Amino acid sequence: MKILIARMNHETNTFSPVATPLAAFGTNGPAWGEDAYRENKGMRTAMSAFIDAAEHEGAQIVTPVSAAANPSGPVAAAAYDAICDAILAAAPGCDAVMLDLHGAMVAEQTPDGEGDLLERVRAALPEAPIAVALDLHGNVTQKMIDNADVIVSFKTYPHVDMYETGEHAARLLLARMAGRARPVLAWRRPPLLTSTLRSSNADGPMGRAIEAAREAEAQGMLAVSVLAGFSLADIPAPCISVVVVSDGDAAAAEAVAERIARQIWDDRDEFVYRSPPLEESVARAAQVAKDVQTTQGVGKPVLLLDHGDNCMSGGTCDTMDLLEAALAQGLTGMVSGPLCDPEAVAALIEAGVGARVTLGVGNKLAREGAAPRAPFMATGVVRAITDGEYVISGPTYTGQRAHMGRAAVLDIGAATLVVTERTHEPWDLGVFESVGVDPRRACFLLLKSRMYCRPVFVPIAAALVECDSRGVTGSDYGLFRYARLARPVYPIDQDTGWGGHQVN
């Protein structure tokens, strides 16, 4: 038995000015062939689980590519072609296919990156079963449904079940090949744009939907996935989906998909996040810090999460709104970062550790339709310069080496700024500790993050305040110019009805 295993992950924010060339898919581009195998073997990705499952069966495996990039703008045409062509070139002679995909990829030549790839794989291997592991924020399309035999998505956000999702998808595919199961897919996609901050599985409407999915699995469905979708994509339907895999019972699968989709639609208003003004959020953080100090006498930092400029949704990591608002309200003892500004990093490196400098930081990549802003003028002392690398301690991407690009630390008095060459999610305390900054000693931690920082930073913090800088990942859909979006869709259209049909 020969199994094709590959990874192609990108969540595309079509409004993001951050480019996505081939080099963005990894430290220096994708890993190919044996390097793709080594990059995933022993790790916690869905591709890692595919490799383990195939090897357990004694299968011959081929791993043409492992390509994963941070969310950003549309994938360059040449990059998309290179990754897909590598997968297709490895297809001849394979008996099965296991693909670790995101589900929300938009390339310059296609709004349905995964659907187009699956269609080509199916054409190349019409008899080979195909299993797909998807991110919880995938935008499911008809092509994806038509050209996959098994689809399973993450059930957690932050995503800590990537390996388990791959394990689940592989188990169902191998059961199909052995004649132990007959996977049948059903799908529903209500016309609902969900806010990323409302897609945590811990509670709320998404938590209830995920619980309903787990209950359906316990009652006999092979797999039930609730995909929140990724709404910051100007495609026809960047909407929430329910995908059900049953064992040969199409009617049962359809009934489960319909029931959970109806539950989601009834809860639709709870899937919308409405941000208070940034100044109110900063004032609240200042008051929380005072209250904590008064009642508890502890020195834990207050987290200010700048979810309007979150790189894991395509943010530039260079909007300075939150820092400027915090300084205007007199906050001190701040640590802010990672701020992405390659020009500033180069200038700080040239100045050297110990040098006192004045330079512009950030505000250099405006979202579509936004007026350009002047950089934040920072005056301070260069405290550290590093290669920006560290090892993630977990729980997300545990053990993987992270690359922020070269990094520099600038102390401006009221705040310590960690400035990097690459956009980077604060997965880990290593973001700061690797450059000699102890985040536990800050009064306020200004992080460009929505969710992934929480498992690591919430335990060391006194409180958390969500802050919307109205950047390229802001929660207000009015900030973005949708041209391809199928209408009506909730919440942009308040009088939206849904009769169970798909939006194609």
Side-chain angles (χ1 to χ4, degrees):
M1 182 166 57
K2 184 179 181 181
I3 300 178
L4 191 164
I5 298 174
R7 184 182 188 204
M8 184 179 80
N9 286 180
H10 187 255
E11 182 179 79
T12 305
N13 182 330
T14 62
F15 306 103
S16 174
V18 180
T20 315
L22 188 62
F25 287 88
T27 307
N28 295 295
W32 310 96
E34 287 298 316
D35 288 337
Y37 173 89
R38 285 190 288 269
E39 181 174 275
N40 288 274
K41 179 63 177 175
M43 295 299 170
R44 300 295 297 175
T45 65
M47 184 170 173
S48 306
F50 290 159
I51 290 170
D52 289 347
E55 290 183 338
H56 183 266
E57 292 294 315
Q60 176 188 355
I61 65 173
V62 55
T63 55
V65 63
S66 176
N70 280 346
S72 48
V75 176
Y80 179 73
D81 286 344
I83 297 167
C84 293
D85 289 350
I87 294 171
L88 269 295
C94 289
D95 302 296
V97 180
M98 299 179 182
L99 295 177
D100 178 349
L101 306 178
H102 184 283
M105 175 182 279
V106 177
E108 290 177 337
Q109 67 270 55
T110 174
D112 187 4
E114 289 86 356
D116 282 3
L117 170 63
L118 287 168
E119 185 177 57
R120 292 176 65 191
V121 173
R122 176 66 76 198
L125 296 170
E127 303 302 322
I130 300 171
V132 178
L134 294 177
D135 190 286
L136 177 141
H137 293 107
N139 292 324
V140 179
T141 67
Q142 189 67 56
K143 278 188 180 180
M144 294 163 67
I145 296 294
D146 290 345
N147 293 288
D149 297 279
V150 171
I151 293 178
V152 184
S153 76
F154 306 159
K155 284 186 170 67
T156 64
Y157 181 54
H159 308 316
V160 294
D161 64 336
M162 292 178 286
Y163 183 93
E164 289 77 9
T165 300
E167 194 174 46
H168 191 167
R171 183 171 66 252
L172 298 187
L173 186 74
L174 292 169
R176 181 193 185 281
M177 297 181 74
R180 298 191 303 271
R182 296 173 297 145
V184 176
L185 297 181
W187 173 47
R188 292 293 185 277
R189 185 178 62 197
L192 169 61
L193 303 180
T194 72
S195 301
T196 307
L197 279 167
R198 289 290 180 260
S199 57
S200 170
N201 64 294
D203 52 25
M206 192 64 176
R208 294 193 293 274
I210 294 291
E211 181 57 32
R214 293 189 187 280
E215 289 176 1
E217 289 177 345
Q219 293 168 4
M221 292 298 105
L222 296 180
V224 182
S225 299
V226 179
L227 298 97
F230 183 65
S231 58
L232 297 177
D234 188 15
I235 60 176
C239 300
I240 194 166
S241 285
V242 180
V243 178
V244 178
V245 185
S246 74
D247 189 0
D249 191 338
E254 294 287 346
V256 170
E258 177 72 15
R259 174 169 53 80
I260 297 177
R262 286 292 173 188
Q263 174 184 319
I264 289 167
W265 184 245
D266 290 343
D267 288 343
R268 60 191 176 277
D269 194 59
E270 292 185 64
F271 281 97
V272 181
Y273 181 89
R274 296 176 174 87
S275 299
L278 179 60
E279 291 73 19
E280 286 186 17
S281 298
V282 172
R284 179 170 166 247
Q287 186 59 53
V288 166
K290 290 180 182 178
D291 292 346
V292 169
Q293 186 65 35
T294 300
T295 59
Q296 300 181 22
V298 296
K300 290 185 176 181
V302 174
L303 299 182
L304 287 78
L305 300 191
D306 184 3
H307 61 87
D309 187 23
N310 163 36
C311 81
M312 292 311 292
S313 292
T316 62
C317 288
D318 87 328
T319 61
M320 305 302 287
D321 304 33
L322 177 56
L323 179 63
E324 291 171 343
L327 290 170
Q329 294 195 31
L331 272 61
T332 60
M334 294 182 284
V335 170
S336 178
L339 304 169
C340 180
D341 189 334
E343 294 177 0
V345 171
L348 294 170
I349 290 174
E350 182 177 358
V353 174
R356 186 169 185 82
V357 298
T358 297
L359 78 168
V361 177
N363 289 343
K364 296 173 182 177
L365 288 174
R367 63 175 168 80
E368 177 190 356
R373 293 187 56 198
F376 169 73
M377 295 309 298
T379 297
V381 178
V382 182
R383 297 297 187 192
I385 294 168
T386 78
D387 62 7
E389 296 189 7
Y390 66 94
V391 176
I392 299 173
S393 61
T396 306
Y397 296 124
T398 304
Q400 293 193 28
R401 180 164 289 277
H403 306 267
M404 301 187 290
R406 294 182 300 173
V409 177
L410 180 63
D411 180 355
I412 64 171
T416 298
L417 312 183
V418 176
V419 191
T420 62
E421 289 184 310
R422 289 186 165 198
T423 60
H424 192 76
E425 172 71 28
W427 308 104
D428 197 84
L429 298 179
V431 166
F432 298 107
E433 292 176 341
S434 68
V435 296
V437 175
D438 185 352
R440 299 174 187 82
R441 298 177 63 85
C443 297
F444 301 93
L445 271 176
L446 283 57
L447 303 182
K448 290 190 172 295
S449 183
R450 266 203 183 107
M451 197 63 64
Y452 290 110
C453 70
R454 300 187 190 212
V456 173
F457 286 90
V458 166
I460 71 165
L464 181 154
V465 178
E466 293 165 345
C467 302
D468 193 345
S469 65
R470 298 176 70 80
V472 76
T473 67
S475 296
D476 179 2
Y477 294 123
L479 297 173
F480 308 104
R481 298 174 180 173
Y482 289 94
R484 299 175 179 170
L485 183 66
R487 307 286 290 273
V489 63
Y490 194 85
I492 294 176
D493 303 297
Q494 291 296 310
D495 59 350
T496 306
W498 180 54
H501 61 281
Q502 306 299 345
V503 180
N504 296 313

